[in-house]
Amino acid sequence: MEDHRARHRGGPLWALGGPPRVEGAEGAGRGASPVLRICEARRGSGAVPWPSTLLVAVLVLVGTGFAAKGQDREQLDAIGRVLLLLGPALLLLRNRWPVVSVFGTAATTLLYLGAGYPYGPAFVPLAVAVFAAVVSGHRHAAWWALGGFWTGSLLLAHWLYRYLPPSGDQGAPWGQEVAFAAWIAAVLAAAELVRLRGEALARARVERARAENRRADEERLRIARELHDVLAHSISVINVQAGVGLALLDSDPEQARTALTTIKAASKEALGEVRQVLDRLRTPGAAPRAPVPGLDRLPELAEQAASAGLKVTVTREGKAEPLPPGTDLAAFRIVQEALTNVVRHSGSRAARVGIVRIRGRLVLRIDDDGPATGSDAGGSGNGLAGMRERAAALGGTIDACERSDGGFRVVADLPVRSPGDDAIEREAR
């Protein structure tokens, strides 16, 4: 990879072409940056540009034929036409070997001028080769080739013309050299502008690809959190009720039946919520077929916890206003996960949920009296991390700590924007 990086250092991103492959790289390129993966995708490629080269060849031949009329230069014979066509022929290499192409066209154009053939569009292949070399990242090669050509043309026009055809030729005026220098500068400036523009577009493509990857990662995390919260809560209830059912199967069959009924209801609900999450995964952008869970389902959540032997008390403070769907779902999942952790890890058989709605904030507090049992009912250990991710996604925070009396407390502080808050702000203004 280091050798590959050195080989492409300094080259423009866009000249390598193709959309950036940020995901799906194979082999050694899996850990590479998006820019290097572009290079890997185009390494060794280079289609032969037949149509544009043929157009340049026709332009050079026909244009030179018209331009030759009235010039006191050598007649355009077979050798002159071969030299004229050699420049466009070298342009066929400009995609795969741009350095060879630019130096070759510079040399053949100098040979053509040194042989005394008519002026005209013979410089067009050189301009195209310089342009291709610059935008493909070989700027210094293009500058050296063009500088060498200009130096050679100065020698031909002001010194060697005495010894070269046509006979009796005069030195070129210096004003012509100023115009020629301006032409060279214009070619280089145009090539540099296109190169910079291309690199900016390539960087934008890479950033878009990275943003798409980030969105995909965030969506995967969101789905993982949803599945974790749904399954962790339901399976914890099932685990507890299965233990109750096994313990009472012989001594109290009726109570065991109640436990099995609870297991059936919890598993049915879990399957329904998992199916809802998977439906959203299969059809991105589609509206969910079932209502998104929110704090209005807290009584149902408390009933499920009660079936697992946990008594849940819910208190509310502040104005009861509808919450945005994302905040409502996050609040419900945070409470659900906190109660699941009480079932799993606490010896307390009671939990208190406090919901405080103040201007622009929603504060959730979940308390249990402990003590911690140190047991694990099949948990993954990601519950608290998932709660923090949900809160952070909304710009909120999660605090979890052991109380001095041995209990445990989870406090979530979530920002909320509601139509009522906006109305108050408008009135204040």
Side-chain angles (χ1 to χ4, degrees):
M1 184 61 68
E2 291 301 323
D3 175 69
H4 181 72
R5 186 182 291 113
R7 199 174 298 176
H8 287 90
R9 185 178 292 119
L13 311 180
W14 78 281
L16 298 170
R21 292 183 56 213
V22 180
E23 286 291 331
E26 298 179 359
R30 187 174 297 277
S33 69
V35 173
L36 288 180
R37 288 180 195 154
I38 300 174
C39 297
E40 290 171 0
R42 295 290 295 171
R43 184 177 176 180
S45 66
V48 178
W50 286 102
S52 59
T53 302
L54 182 61
L55 180 63
V56 171
V58 172
L59 173 65
V60 168
L61 279 178
V62 176
T64 304
F66 281 106
K69 299 176 180 178
Q71 292 189 35
D72 190 16
R73 305 282 290 176
E74 293 289 315
Q75 291 295 320
L76 193 61
D77 54 15
I79 296 178
R81 288 187 170 85
V82 168
L83 289 174
L84 280 178
L85 289 175
L86 189 56
L90 288 167
L91 290 181
L92 294 173
L93 310 176
R94 69 182 185 269
N95 286 350
R96 189 179 292 271
W97 296 295
V99 175
V100 175
S101 176
V102 71
F103 277 102
T105 52
T108 55
T109 307
L110 270 180
L111 285 175
Y112 175 84
L113 295 178
Y117 290 113
Y119 297 111
F123 304 101
V124 172
L126 177 58
V128 174
V130 168
F131 199 93
V134 169
V135 298
S136 65
H138 301 278
R139 305 165 61 200
H140 295 97
W143 295 348
W144 277 106
L146 204 52
F149 174 78
W150 190 30
T151 303
S153 66
L154 287 176
L155 292 175
L156 290 175
H158 299 282
W159 181 40
L160 296 178
Y161 70 91
R162 301 182 182 91
Y163 313 103
L164 296 172
S167 58
D169 193 15
Q170 301 294 320
W174 284 101
Q176 176 180 309
E177 302 303 332
V178 173
F180 190 51
W183 175 81
I184 290 176
V187 170
L188 286 175
E192 290 291 339
L193 286 175
V194 172
R195 180 184 66 83
L196 293 174
R197 173 63 175 168
E199 289 184 351
L201 291 175
R203 282 192 294 270
R205 287 199 299 269
V206 170
E207 287 303 317
R208 284 196 300 270
R210 285 174 175 165
E212 290 174 2
N213 287 346
R214 285 193 296 269
R215 286 193 294 270
D217 289 341
E218 290 169 359
E219 181 66 11
R220 283 194 294 269
L221 286 174
R222 184 189 66 79
I223 292 172
R225 284 195 300 267
E226 284 288 302
L227 291 175
H228 173 274
D229 293 345
V230 170
L231 296 177
H233 176 75
S234 299
I235 290 176
S236 293
V237 173
I238 290 171
N239 180 274
V240 171
Q241 292 299 321
V244 171
L246 287 173
L248 301 177
L249 186 60
D250 295 326
S251 61
D252 192 347
E254 191 62 31
Q255 187 65 29
R257 181 187 297 274
T258 302
L260 291 176
T261 302
T262 302
I263 289 175
K264 180 180 179 181
S267 61
K268 180 179 179 180
E269 180 182 357
L271 287 173
E273 293 199 31
V274 168
R275 188 176 296 112
Q276 180 182 344
V277 172
L278 294 180
D279 283 344
R280 290 201 298 270
L281 179 62
R282 292 191 185 100
T283 56
R289 298 180 181 179
V292 176
L295 290 179
D296 58 334
R297 286 184 55 184
L298 278 185
E300 180 183 340
L301 190 61
E303 183 179 344
Q304 291 177 355
S307 67
L310 180 67
K311 181 181 179 181
V312 179
T313 304
V314 179
T315 60
R316 298 175 182 264
E317 297 180 25
K319 186 183 296 185
E321 289 186 351
L323 293 170
T327 306
D328 205 13
L329 173 62
F332 175 81
R333 294 303 188 198
I334 289 170
V335 173
Q336 184 184 51
E337 181 60 31
L339 294 179
T340 301
N341 287 340
V342 175
V343 173
R344 285 178 180 167
H345 309 298
S346 176
S348 174
R349 294 298 87 195
R352 297 177 296 280
V353 178
I355 303 172
V356 180
R357 178 69 183 273
I358 57 179
R359 182 182 175 187
R361 315 296 299 179
L362 176 67
V363 179
L364 307 171
R365 191 173 75 177
I366 303 94
D367 283 280
D368 72 272
D369 296 330
T373 61
S375 63
D376 186 1
S380 64
N382 294 322
L384 188 56
M387 286 192 282
R388 287 198 171 106
E389 288 174 359
R390 285 187 180 277
L394 297 172
T397 59
I398 289 282
D399 289 322
C401 62
E402 187 175 354
R403 298 193 327 229
S404 59
D405 59 359
F408 199 81
R409 173 174 294 165
V410 175
V411 178
D413 186 357
L414 308 177
V416 178
R417 298 296 300 173
S418 69
D421 296 332
D422 294 336
I424 292 173
E425 286 190 5
R426 285 195 298 269
E427 289 177 3
R429 290 174 187 174

